Amino acid sequence: MAGLAVRGTTAQERGAPAVALAVDASKTGVTIDRNLFGQFAEHLGKGIYEGVWVGPDSPIPNTRGIRNDVVAALKALRVPNVRWPGGCFADDYHWRKGIGPADRRAAQMNPDWGGVIEPNTFGTHEFMDFIDQIGSRAYLSVNVGSGTPQEASEWLEYLTASQPTALQKERAANGRPEPYTIPYLGIGNENWDCGGNMTPEHYLQQLKTFARYTRNFNPAQREGDTRMLKIAVGPGGGGPRWTEWTEVIMKGWKARQWSWDMDGLSLHNYTVVSFPPKFASVGFGEADYARILQATLEMDDLIASHSAIMDKYDPEKKMALVVDEWGAWYAPLPGSTPGFLVQQNSVRDALIAALNLNIFARHADRVRMANIAQMTNVLQAMIITDKEKMILTPTYHVFKMYLPFQDATFVPLTFDAGTYTHGDITLPRVDAIAARDTSGTVWLALTNLDPARPAEISATLSGMTARTATGETLTAPAIDSVNTFEAPSTVSPKPLSAIVSGDRLTVTLAPKSVTVLAVRP
Ligand code: AHR
């Protein structure tokens, strides 16, 4: 793992170990794109209906049908982009069913997720209203699997045309005369599997056609920085099948003609040991704790291997690697609806979030966008709702603690990670990243993976004169501690200060904890 030196356990580590860490604030790297903190909201289980949309007549406080408590919580996260409507659902989605008067929307099946009825009440305008309310930006996935280039092309014209075409007039009649801004467009989703089981060659041809015809007509997005970026379906893991996928798409892109282009290649990688997922999200022991953390750290090698292929065809790194589905995928909670992917979110998930965000930051030259799966009530959610009640998960708190890393400049650091061993699994004991914001504050994110031993950090700071180091830390009584509607703050951040003396900073990290400190000059 980049930046980590894993080595054998020393006697000192078995006792009260100290972790040596060095930050040179005068050395800087690339920008940690705020889009790395993106979210994914699919029409799946209670992800949209109840999690976001309750309807204007609901007794749950809402604005135009979108629940106010969820909006306020997400606004506080400064979510940079939201990927919608799927996921597998994207390749079953026909946008026309989700526009126009609510009582005339065509209900359809949601065959991907529980075989329930999808009422299409939450459609294009409701999604755009939602991201507007939370202050975010749209990342739409067009239907390649069961849709046509014409359908995708017309959706884009409907969304973005400013001139009085039939589609622009229809949009205006539905309440939105001005064009929408669509900064990111996904061309399909997992078209190697739920999106049509295509070979890479077949998908490449689809990509060329869809990329050609999905035009953004918004005058404010014609060119330059505001141009809509197109993201191709990329690999779904590691190994020969996925190496071939990345090779074929990248090679095809390198040989592209003027008529099509793309800006990103997606990567999907869940923290899951095997499918169907067997590991429990709550009520697990240390063996499962260690195995899941081991699985999550595989993200680093996966990114490195696909980045190496991309480097061959794109040494200038024009194309981003977009990890637009990541997070922990556990066995569904007993008693939950099959296909709704309901799971709890423990302090282990807080560590998973931090470790993955750290990996993305270390690869920020290539990884410039990522979307955790998913936003509300599904998989490694930020937010869990039950009718009018809402709780913020440990993962939510980590995203909030990491806010200063959005668009900050990566500061390389060195540290001796040490080891945490359980059974035959050995992991780095500590992980860390650093970044500097525009005010000159250096931010340190420190994770202690060891569930039993505190870690004393002894850091040397150069390139700046630090005066204070304050921040927050998140831990919990047990490795599977969760927040519940009865006890919503069991896993929540608490203030923490480090001792700064001359060029030295010392702080003790609690077992199984995530800490973010602002080191101020
Ligand atoms: O996030 C759940 C599902 O996982 C998505 O719909 C699909 O793209 C992936 O397989």
Side-chain angles (χ1 to χ4, degrees):
M1 169 179 274
L4 295 185
V6 182
R7 55 168 177 70
T9 312
T10 65
Q12 187 194 30
E13 281 172 347
R14 287 192 293 274
V19 174
L21 186 147
V23 189
D24 182 350
S26 66
K27 292 206 173 81
T28 56
V30 297
T31 299
I32 300 169
D33 199 311
R34 69 196 174 106
N35 276 321
L36 293 176
F37 301 84
Q39 306 274 336
F40 172 35
E42 181 168 14
H43 288 237
L44 192 178
K46 294 187 173 176
I48 297 291
Y49 298 107
E50 183 174 318
V52 172
W53 177 263
V54 288
D57 302 328
S58 170
I60 298 172
N62 69 84
T63 302
R64 294 179 294 280
I66 296 163
R67 57 190 296 167
N68 293 346
D69 53 355
V70 168
V71 166
L74 292 171
K75 222 170 162 176
L77 278 193
R78 296 207 302 266
V79 179
N81 71 85
V82 182
R83 181 171 180 255
W84 178 84
C88 295
F89 182 75
D91 285 294
D92 271 306
Y93 186 62
H94 300 285
W95 67 272
R96 275 211 155 275
K97 295 183 181 173
I99 58 166
D103 56 355
R104 278 189 251 151
R105 301 265 175 106
Q108 66 176 89
M109 295 305 293
N110 186 334
D112 296 296
W113 305 116
V116 295
I117 289 180
E118 160 58 55
N120 278 310
T121 327
F122 188 89
T124 299
H125 291 258
E126 290 75 22
F127 173 69
M128 297 306 292
D129 187 14
F130 167 59
I131 56 163
D132 203 39
Q133 288 190 34
I134 66 169
S136 189
R137 312 189 82 206
Y139 174 15
L140 300 181
S141 294
V142 297
N143 181 342
V144 170
S146 69
T148 61
Q150 180 182 358
E151 183 186 25
S153 163
E154 289 180 355
W155 196 17
L156 265 293
E157 185 181 327
Y158 179 84
L159 285 157
T160 63
S162 62
Q163 291 166 296
T165 66
L167 286 165
Q168 184 278 337
K169 287 183 189 166
E170 192 178 358
R171 188 190 67 225
N174 287 331
R176 174 76 185 199
E178 323 81 55
Y180 286 115
T181 301
I182 309 296
Y184 312 106
L185 191 76
I187 309 292
N189 171 76
E190 296 194 357
N191 296 97
W192 31 259
D193 191 0
C194 68
N197 205 246
M198 299 174 192
T199 63
E201 291 78 13
H202 181 68
Y203 174 73
L204 177 64
Q205 185 49 54
Q206 296 285 85
L207 171 66
K208 291 177 184 177
T209 309
F210 277 77
R212 168 78 183 135
Y213 293 108
T214 44
R215 300 176 175 101
N216 188 317
F217 295 102
N218 186 334
Q221 291 198 266
R222 280 283 150 74
E223 52 200 21
D225 287 351
T226 59
R227 187 175 67 80
M228 181 176 77
L229 304 181
K230 295 182 183 173
I231 293 137
V233 166
R241 180 183 178 202
W242 304 118
T243 302
E244 187 199 351
W245 186 279
T246 303
E247 283 277 356
V248 170
I249 307 301
M250 290 304 298
K251 196 170 173 190
W253 174 76
K254 189 164 169 65
R256 72 197 178 283
Q257 310 284 316
W258 64 269
S259 54
W260 76 283
D261 205 348
M262 64 179 195
D263 306 279
L265 181 74
S266 93
L267 167 67
H268 287 185
N269 181 47
Y270 284 94
T271 297
V272 59
V273 175
S274 60
F275 270 105
K278 299 257 179 331
F279 284 68
S281 56
V282 65
F284 52 83
E286 191 173 346
D288 282 17
Y289 171 88
R291 181 68 189 95
I292 288 289
L293 290 186
Q294 183 185 46
T296 218
L297 291 171
E298 288 166 13
M299 179 69 91
D300 188 62
D301 279 348
L302 202 60
I303 290 175
S305 62
H306 289 291
S307 295
I309 301 172
M310 294 176 82
D311 285 349
K312 270 200 306 185
Y313 298 100
D314 175 29
E316 292 170 29
K317 299 190 195 295
K318 287 185 182 159
M319 183 115 59
L321 186 59
V322 176
V323 190
D324 54 13
E325 285 188 29
W326 69 274
W329 192 328
Y330 303 118
L333 277 184
S336 63
T337 308
F340 277 21
L341 311 189
V342 178
Q343 59 191 45
Q344 248 297 1
N345 200 296
S346 70
V347 68
R348 180 180 62 182
D349 294 287
L351 269 66
I352 287 173
L355 293 170
N356 280 279
L357 293 172
N358 294 356
I359 291 168
F360 301 154
R362 283 194 279 267
H363 289 279
D365 58 339
R366 179 66 83 178
V367 182
R368 300 196 284 270
M369 188 153 153
N371 300 76
I372 189 167
Q374 296 195 7
M375 186 178 250
T376 53
N377 294 329
V378 176
L379 298 176
Q380 192 177 342
M382 302 289 121
I383 291 170
I384 298 176
T385 63
D386 180 15
K387 300 185 188 70
E388 76 290 353
K389 291 181 282 187
M390 176 188 91
I391 47 174
L392 305 176
T393 66
T395 301
Y396 174 96
H397 291 305
V398 169
F399 269 65
K400 189 130 183 259
M401 290 163 73
Y402 269 66
L403 277 176
F405 288 89
Q406 291 196 9
D407 283 340
T409 306
F410 187 79
V411 176
L413 49 69
T414 55
F415 62 101
D416 189 354
T419 54
Y420 151 58
T421 299
H422 183 80
D424 58 1
I425 294 176
T426 295
L427 306 173
R429 182 164 67 111
V430 167
D431 191 22
I433 59 164
R436 193 178 48 227
D437 68 19
T438 48
S439 75
T441 299
V442 170
W443 294 88
L444 268 180
L446 305 159
T447 301
N448 181 5
L449 287 75
D450 194 313
R453 296 177 306 172
E456 191 179 319
I457 304 286
S458 175
T460 314
L461 304 167
S462 50
M464 76 181 293
T465 307
R467 295 191 198 288
T468 60
T470 55
E472 288 184 317
T473 191
L474 177 132
T475 185
I479 48 176
D480 67 337
S481 291
V482 297
N483 292 336
T484 62
F485 294 104
E486 295 70 40
S489 305
T490 305
V491 194
S492 55
K494 309 279 179 303
L496 182 77
S497 296
I499 297 167
V500 179
S501 170
D503 67 350
R504 192 150 293 271
L505 175 156
T506 52
V507 65
T508 302
L509 308 179
K512 50 176 167 15
S513 66
V514 179
T515 300
V516 173
L517 294 173
V519 185
R520 295 203 160 86

